[in-house]
């Protein structure tokens, strides 16, 4: 009876050891989405590879599908005849474009506390923040892509940033602008093409 009890206790201890030893090991696996607070989104892919981890990072920014249009300019009123400033509407399409990231592909090791992936080569370490289950890498906070909503929320922030850039860029050509030597610009349809993401999945 004592042997059975000892064997049972030993099995419980082994199961607990396996659970605790595995705890934290896979906190890093998956796809993670980060935002720099301006105009760049990052996708961090972490895959377990034996005793190490394979990490790949992609950066995405919106680029206009063609150069920003330039409002037409005119001669001063005492020189020009019929040419005068008018209201023009510009439609602009932004295309999500993959950029080169600092970490394209690297192998990392899990530290003994199992809360960091040590990347090395001056690239910094990937920290697991337990209180909100996020990753911190090079000053960027990453959320795990548990649903498409995580990515969509970051894209909305990027799109807002691009709209703000347009407002700043064309403010001087607005209806209230003091510059009457160029067209007054009205921003028309501002569209966003995110097909770069679906192409990489």
């Amino acid at each position: 009876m004592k042997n059975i009890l000892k064997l049972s206790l030993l099995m419980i201890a082994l199961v607990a050891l396996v659970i605790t030893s595995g705890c934290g090991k896979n906190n890093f696996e998956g796809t993670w989405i980060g935002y720099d607070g301006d105009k760049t989104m990052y996708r961090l892919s972490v895959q377990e590879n034996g005793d190490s981890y394979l990490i790949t990072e992609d950066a995405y920014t919106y680029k206009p599908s063609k150069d920003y249009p330039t409002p037409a300019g005119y001669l001063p009123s005492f020189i020009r005849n019929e040419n005068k400033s008018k209201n023009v509407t510009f439609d602009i399409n932004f295309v999500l474009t993959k950029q080169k990231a600092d970490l394209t592909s690297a192998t990392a090791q899990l530290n003994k506390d199992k809360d960091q992936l040590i990347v090395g080569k001056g690239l910094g370490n990937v920290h697991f923040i337990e209180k909100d289950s996020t990753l911190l890498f090079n000053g960027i906070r990453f959320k795990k892509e548990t649903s498409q909503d995580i990515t969509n929320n970051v894209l909305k922030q990027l799109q807002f940033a691009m709209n703000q850039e347009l407002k700043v860029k064309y403010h001087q050509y607005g209806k209230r602008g003091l510059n009457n030597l160029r067209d007054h610009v009205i921003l028309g349809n501002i569209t966003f093409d995110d097909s770069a993401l679906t192409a990489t999945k």
Side-chain angles (χ1 to χ4, degrees):
M1 183 70 177
K2 288 183 179 180
N3 289 336
I4 294 175
L5 182 59
K6 286 181 180 179
L7 184 60
S8 299
L9 290 174
L10 181 61
M11 291 298 294
I12 293 171
L14 285 173
V15 170
L17 181 63
V18 169
I19 292 174
T20 55
S21 64
C23 183
K25 185 176 181 183
N26 294 318
N27 283 335
F28 295 90
E29 277 196 295
T31 300
W32 302 78
I33 307 299
Y35 175 49
D36 70 348
D38 189 21
K39 299 173 188 171
T40 307
M41 180 181 79
Y42 295 89
R43 286 175 62 88
L44 196 66
S45 175
V46 183
Q47 294 180 326
E48 191 174 1
N49 185 24
D51 294 331
S52 60
Y53 285 80
L54 181 64
I55 302 178
T56 303
E57 184 183 45
D58 294 315
Y60 293 89
T61 59
Y62 280 114
K63 301 289 185 184
S65 58
K66 55 186 177 182
D67 292 340
Y68 284 135
T70 303
Y74 300 95
L75 296 172
S77 58
F78 63 89
I79 297 177
R80 69 192 183 205
N81 291 322
E82 295 182 359
N83 289 337
K84 60 180 181 180
S85 59
K86 59 181 182 295
N87 293 337
V88 295
T89 300
F90 289 153
D91 296 333
I92 298 176
N93 180 44
F94 288 106
V95 179
L96 195 67
T97 307
K98 185 186 289 189
Q99 307 294 312
K100 184 178 181 181
D102 293 335
L103 191 161
T104 52
S105 183
T107 301
Q109 302 295 326
L110 190 65
N111 72 338
K112 64 178 182 179
D113 293 329
K114 299 180 181 178
D115 62 353
Q116 290 184 47
L117 290 179
I118 302 171
V119 182
K121 298 180 181 179
L123 296 172
N125 297 335
V126 182
H127 302 261
F128 179 73
I129 311 301
E130 187 174 0
K131 66 178 181 179
D132 57 4
S133 297
T134 59
L135 298 184
L136 184 64
F137 179 58
N138 286 342
I140 305 293
R141 187 65 66 97
F142 290 82
K143 291 184 179 180
K144 195 166 189 178
E145 192 184 37
T146 53
S147 72
Q148 185 62 35
D149 290 342
I150 302 294
T151 301
N152 289 343
N153 287 337
V154 173
L155 289 176
K156 287 178 182 177
Q157 295 177 76
L158 289 178
Q159 292 168 8
F160 177 80
M162 299 312 299
N163 274 295
Q164 290 300 105
E165 178 180 280
L166 286 177
K167 289 180 180 179
V168 170
K169 182 173 182 61
Y170 289 107
H171 173 73
Q172 60 181 315
Y173 303 121
K175 288 184 177 181
R176 295 183 181 180
L178 300 177
N179 189 342
N180 292 318
L181 303 181
R182 287 188 178 274
D183 288 336
H184 292 163
V185 173
I186 300 171
L187 294 174
N189 293 322
I190 310 302
T191 54
F192 296 90
D193 180 355
D194 302 329
S195 57
L197 285 180
T198 56
T200 58
K201 288 186 176 181

